[in-house]
Amino acid sequence: MTTNPRGRYPALRGALGGATAVALILAIPIISLGAFHGDPPDENHPWAVHDLRRPAPSVVTPGPKPGDPPSDAIILFDGSSLAAWETVQRTANGTVEIVPATWRMVDGALEVNPKSGSLQTKEKFGACQLHIEWRTPVTDHKPKWGPGEGNSGVYFIGMGTNLWGAAFYEVQILDSYENPSYPDGQAAAVYGQAPPLVNASRRPGEWQSYDIVFHPPKFDATGAVLDRASITVFHNGVLVQDHWLFEGATGFGRRAQFKPHPDTGHILLQDYGIPIQFRNIWVRPLPARTAPTPAEVAATRQQTAAQIRAEAQQAGGRRRFLLLLESLVYADDSATRTVVNESLAALNVEVTRMGEDAIKKNADELRALYQALKYCVRHKILAEPIPALGVIEQKLQAAGIKLP
Ligand code: MG
């Protein structure tokens, strides 16, 4: 019952760089019909719903236990070295300079060397996930440190040789265990803007963790804010900042304002003159969250369609036809459409001639074709009428085979 398309439809040869109308009922394995299920790509979505062609996320091996760095993390401090860090130091004449890291390693922890300067990463980061563990010294909660008891801070978008205050976005570190301070300045506050949702502090002397997701703001060419910076913070595993949208750079005593700055900056740990300790610090740069533009969506769809047509060139029979059809789901192409339409005409002739035995023998393939064609009609990828579709439906039903 199979036919040789090259013999029967020689005129179609070359319609698509050597492709021809193809015989569809061939004894080839059933292929995945993942392409013909979920709603197709549109102007905002380069991929269909449940699209098997959508690039799979890269594989990351998580750390052995919570808080351990995953395989793609950049290790900033693991107890062995200060190599990732440098100190931002005020000089006697009031300027600021970058010097080798001045903080100390104490029993595998990184400890503030009081008044030596804040510590910043040598590398710059924009959007990122940061894990950091810290502890404040044990005190009697008498005003030894004043309001700054246990004070430090994690800053994003540090600007290097500017004063440490020019690191723009601070999550506060403070001893806030049964030790009240102003709420927008207690531990896990977005300093001066947002108190934590709850106070999840442990006692001073105990290790605590922050898991932070930070996104910098976006500015247009005039310096106007397109997208505010945002931050999500888990304090000891408890959500304390829920995608807080910054009102501007954090600071003391004044309402925040945004001022334009680069997309990346140093991550900075504050020297407030208190020997806070840190350990297990790692960071993962994150991609931007912005949705692709319609032009980017269209480009991705074209690229996917071209890849599928290249696959089709290597395939035969029904698989080639289904691939060409699938490519139209992503992007139209007149040469492909011509081959598909001519193949459908050939399919109509072929199925019309099939007896019940042949229909039963090819039932799986016919059902797969039926499903693909119905999908393309439903989503207006193919225009009706498609005689082959009606013939397949009729023949399957007559043979007592359930439609998909
Ligand atoms: Mg602070």
Side-chain angles (χ1 to χ4, degrees), residues 86-100 116-120 158-167 266 268:
E86 58 198 8
T87 289
V88 184
Q89 198 164 63
R90 288 171 197 252
T91 62
N93 61 14
T95 61
V96 171
E97 59 185 29
I98 305 298
V99 299
S116 73
S118 293
L119 208 63
Q120 70 174 19
M159 287 290 111
T161 52
N162 290 316
L163 294 176
W164 59 262
H266 307 276
L268 181 142

Side-chain angles (χ1 to χ4, degrees), residues 103 112 114-115 118 145 147-153 164 172 182 191 269-274 276:
W103 292 13
V112 176
K115 310 287 187 194
S118 293
W145 311 110
E149 193 163 34
N151 197 338
S152 180
W164 59 262
Q172 173 71 310
Y182 46 89
Y191 192 75
L269 306 178
Q270 183 184 22
D271 172 10
Y272 199 88
I274 300 162
I276 312 294

Side-chain angles (χ1 to χ4, degrees), residues 1 351-363 366 394-401:
M1 197 60 227
V351 178
T352 299
R353 288 177 180 171
M354 288 171 81
E356 193 170 308
D357 283 352
I359 294 290
K360 284 181 173 164
K361 192 174 157 217
N362 292 290
L366 287 167
Q394 186 192 13
K395 292 263 188 172
L396 285 172
Q397 284 178 327
I401 295 162

Side-chain angles (χ1 to χ4, degrees), residues 78-89:
D78 66 0
S80 65
S81 160
L82 294 178
W85 300 90
E86 58 198 8
T87 289
V88 184
Q89 198 164 63

Side-chain angles (χ1 to χ4, degrees), residues 126-128 213-218 228-231 243 246 286-289:
C128 63
V213 177
F214 171 78
H215 284 271
K218 289 193 183 66
R228 286 154 68 180
S230 68
I231 198 156
H243 194 68
F246 285 88
L286 298 175
R289 290 171 304 171

